[in-house]
Amino acid sequence: MRSIWIFLSSVAAIVAIGGTVYLISRPEAELALSGNGELRAMSPGRRIPVAPAGNPLLAASELQLDMWIPIYPIPCGEIVFGAADERARHFSFCVREIRNRVFFHSNLELSDEDVLDPRVRAHWRATVRPR
């Protein structure tokens, strides 16, 4: 009887680990910016998005801001745009992380000034903050 329980629990563990690996490695539809600044789905094999010229943070939708501005483990939106205190503990990390995420998803390299633009702060407050 004990060997049956060991066998069943081993099978359950293997299925759980396999399911977790499958869910993590599953290709998801990627999001990219179209020429007019709207979000569109990309095919999983394609990695070259079309992005508008300039600062994509100025015209980003709520979904894009959620994708580009991390909230876990550090609420970067509140640090960079809410308090906007350059002496905050994770301020430089958050600016760098936002720049990296925008580059990863839109293939546009932003400067620190682009991220810290007061228009981006106002757009973030109008789009994300009212929750």
Side-chain angles (χ1 to χ4, degrees):
M1 185 69 167
R2 182 175 179 186
S3 62
I4 293 174
W5 283 112
I6 292 173
F7 174 76
L8 290 176
S9 49
S10 299
V11 169
I14 290 171
V15 169
I17 292 171
T20 303
V21 170
Y22 171 75
L23 290 175
I24 290 173
S25 66
R26 182 178 64 178
E28 297 178 8
E30 295 182 24
L31 303 174
L33 293 172
S34 64
N36 59 3
E38 294 180 8
L39 201 61
R40 62 179 172 81
M42 290 177 45
S43 62
R46 187 169 167 229
R47 287 250 335 143
I48 304 173
V50 178
N55 189 344
L57 291 171
L58 292 173
S61 67
E62 184 177 358
L63 178 62
Q64 290 168 319
L65 289 175
D66 286 343
M67 184 172 46
W68 293 340
I69 302 172
I71 59 170
Y72 180 81
I74 302 166
C76 286
E78 289 295 328
I79 291 172
V80 175
F81 305 120
D85 182 12
E86 293 185 15
R87 294 171 292 165
R89 183 173 180 196
H90 298 291
F91 187 84
S92 61
F93 167 79
C94 287
V95 170
R96 189 172 53 250
E97 185 65 21
I98 292 168
R99 289 178 59 198
N100 290 340
R101 287 178 179 219
V102 169
F103 180 74
F104 179 77
H105 290 285
S106 68
N107 213 22
L108 286 175
E109 191 165 341
L110 299 178
S111 66
D112 288 353
E113 291 78 25
D114 291 334
V115 174
L116 299 175
D117 187 345
R119 297 175 297 169
V120 174
R121 180 180 182 197
H123 178 65
W124 178 82
R125 285 182 168 199
T127 306
V128 175
R129 200 136 207 232
R131 289 186 202 173

